[in-house]
Amino acid sequence: MTQTASKRVRAGTVITLMGAILAYLIGSGFATGQEALQYFASFGAPGAAGALVISFCLYSYVTAVVLRDGRNLRLKSGNAIFEYYCGKYIGKFFGVFAPLFFFCLFAVMLSGAGAALNEHLGWNSQVGILAMAVGVLLTVMMGLDGLVGIVSKLGPVIVVLCLVVGIIGIVRSPQGIAASADTLPTIDVLQAAPNWAVSGFNYPGLGILMLVPFLASLSTRVRNDREAVTAGLAGAMTFVAAVAVVAFGLLANIGDVYDKQIPMLWIANQIFSGAGSIFSVVLFAGIYTTAVPLLWTAINRIETNDRSNRAKVFALIATVAAVLLAQVPFAELVNVLYPVAGYLALVLVGCIVIRQIRNIRARKRGTDVYAVAFERLPEEKAATAPQDVQDVQAG
């Protein structure tokens, strides 16, 4: 491959990875509106704007850096990236904690699925929980390639539909954003952090903890650093922009949605008769696209061969256990689990920054910063990209 060709950024790869990143991040917390409500809208318009700027900066930095480093490291297991960034002891802690937490988040997704069908259709929440659990389990058994192929296509579609609902929420009550300054002190709305600045750091922390090992695995699909950085930035910018629209859509209607399990569903129901039913399908799909890689990443910590019978047995056991944990009310799970992960993930972000500083100094000495003693994929396998990815031709 020529030097020019090696620096090409393939539009197909960028779109595929952007879709996978979006799909991973938009689960039940985003699609229901609970994340946007607790982390942003609850602090009013100025606080929401400030928190969103902080979140954007952190997401952009981490997605770009981890995709680039993962592409050069070619790790057999994405969870090994924790040791690369954090060292032996802190890295091992994250390597154990993260998969356990991903399992808990998988249970949150199942709980969200049950809440969605119960709040809109009046169905027993167990129907949604079990339907989601079975769908996720079957997809995880297909392995990473099948997983990416499905969720990367669903992700952008779901984001667009959530954007439509968020925009309608703003348009139907634009004065509500200004009026929220008077409304918020009179209502009891859950907040995920003590103030907007902490919320801005805490919110992406959760996503970053989820994304880091997943991005390290996805990075085998990029062929150069420019492509990795472009895909990471595209995913981060699109996601934060979507969160912003949803947050201000909820803020415009804060008096009506602050106490809802599924606040986005309330807005959808105001559009026209039947819109709520359509959004319920969107919400269910959004939960699915996050639940699948959460379960896959947790199992990958135990068994790196995701097509083996051992991996399938572990996936089945984890799914049954998650169904039991999902009996806890959805909003309570979000309010307890998400902030804990957010704070711990800030430690991880600090480790990533320190590692990048050390790498800059090492490069000046002529040291190969990616020559590390981890189980790694062969060069030719790491460079393999999906067949549907097309090169962007120059000229």
Side-chain angles (χ1 to χ4, degrees):
M1 181 180 290
T2 66
Q3 184 66 16
T4 300
S6 68
K7 291 185 177 180
R8 256 184 276 170
V9 175
R10 298 165 298 167
T13 299
V14 171
I15 292 170
T16 296
L17 296 191
M18 180 187 75
I21 291 170
L22 289 175
Y24 198 16
L25 291 175
I26 61 177
S28 60
F30 170 82
T32 60
Q34 279 291 338
E35 285 181 2
L37 180 65
Q38 295 188 29
Y39 281 91
F40 303 106
S42 63
F43 295 103
L52 284 162
V53 170
I54 295 172
S55 295
F56 168 72
C57 293
L58 285 175
Y59 264 131
S60 296
Y61 176 74
V62 172
T63 52
V65 166
V66 176
L67 273 176
R68 182 199 65 194
D69 289 347
R71 177 240 166 203
N72 288 289
L73 288 167
R74 309 188 315 276
L75 299 172
K76 188 173 182 180
S77 171
N79 285 291
I81 196 77
F82 289 121
E83 271 193 72
Y84 176 74
Y85 286 133
C86 303
K88 181 178 179 181
Y89 298 107
I90 298 178
K92 283 187 181 299
F93 165 77
F94 276 113
V96 173
F97 169 80
L100 289 174
F101 189 75
F102 296 155
F103 161 76
C104 291
L105 288 181
F106 173 46
V108 174
M109 299 301 117
L110 298 185
S111 181
L117 294 188
N118 175 261
E119 187 156 309
H120 180 64
L121 300 176
W123 293 3
N124 188 303
S125 61
Q126 302 307 312
V127 176
I129 290 173
L130 293 174
M132 182 62 66
V134 171
V136 170
L137 177 62
L138 293 176
T139 307
V140 167
M141 288 182 173
M142 295 169 60
L144 181 63
D145 290 337
L147 180 158
V148 172
I150 294 172
V151 302
S152 65
K153 293 177 177 63
L154 280 174
V157 175
I158 298 165
V159 167
V160 168
L161 293 173
C162 287
L163 281 173
V164 170
V165 175
I167 291 170
I168 290 173
I170 296 172
V171 171
R172 71 178 297 273
S173 181
Q175 71 282 359
I177 296 176
S180 65
D182 297 320
T183 305
L184 282 168
T186 67
I187 59 178
D188 185 20
V189 56
L190 279 175
Q191 293 182 323
N195 58 65
W196 65 265
V198 173
S199 189
F201 281 102
N202 188 276
Y203 177 68
L206 168 68
I208 287 166
L209 186 62
M210 291 165 52
L211 273 174
V212 166
F214 187 58
L215 289 173
S217 297
L218 283 181
S219 64
T220 59
R221 286 156 172 74
V222 292
R223 289 183 179 172
N224 58 66
D225 288 355
R226 286 177 58 194
E227 194 168 83
V229 171
T230 301
L233 290 177
M237 288 188 290
T238 307
F239 176 68
V240 175
V243 172
V245 172
V246 170
F248 279 91
L250 294 175
L251 190 60
N253 302 272
I254 193 68
D256 295 307
V257 302
Y258 77 95
D259 59 347
K260 300 292 189 296
Q261 287 279 320
I262 318 290
M264 287 287 279
L265 194 56
W266 183 90
I267 296 177
N269 277 323
Q270 310 311 305
I271 301 172
F272 63 86
S273 178
S277 298
I278 296 172
F279 189 75
S280 292
V281 176
V282 174
L283 173 59
F284 212 73
I287 294 171
Y288 165 81
T289 60
T290 294
V292 168
L294 278 173
L295 178 60
W296 181 89
T297 306
I299 299 305
N300 186 247
R301 174 67 175 81
I302 305 171
E303 175 56 68
T304 57
N305 181 1
D306 56 14
R307 296 292 187 90
S308 69
N309 289 332
R310 186 166 178 257
K312 293 175 181 178
V313 169
F314 282 129
L316 176 60
I317 294 171
T319 300
V320 172
V323 167
L324 298 177
L325 181 58
Q327 307 308 309
V328 179
F330 172 64
E332 292 180 23
L333 282 173
V334 170
N335 192 250
V336 173
L337 289 174
Y338 281 34
V340 171
Y343 290 123
L344 281 173
L346 290 178
V347 176
L348 175 58
V349 173
C351 291
I352 293 174
V353 172
I354 292 171
R355 179 75 202 204
Q356 300 311 305
I357 295 172
R358 290 172 55 198
N359 283 356
I360 291 172
R361 293 174 177 171
R363 287 191 186 97
K364 289 180 179 179
R365 298 192 299 269
T367 304
D368 182 358
V369 299
Y370 297 118
V372 290
F374 294 118
E375 259 193 298
R376 304 170 77 173
L377 295 171
E379 184 79 42
E380 62 276 8
K381 184 173 182 180
T384 302
Q387 292 296 314
D388 61 345
V389 171
Q390 302 298 320
D391 286 347
V392 177
Q393 300 294 336

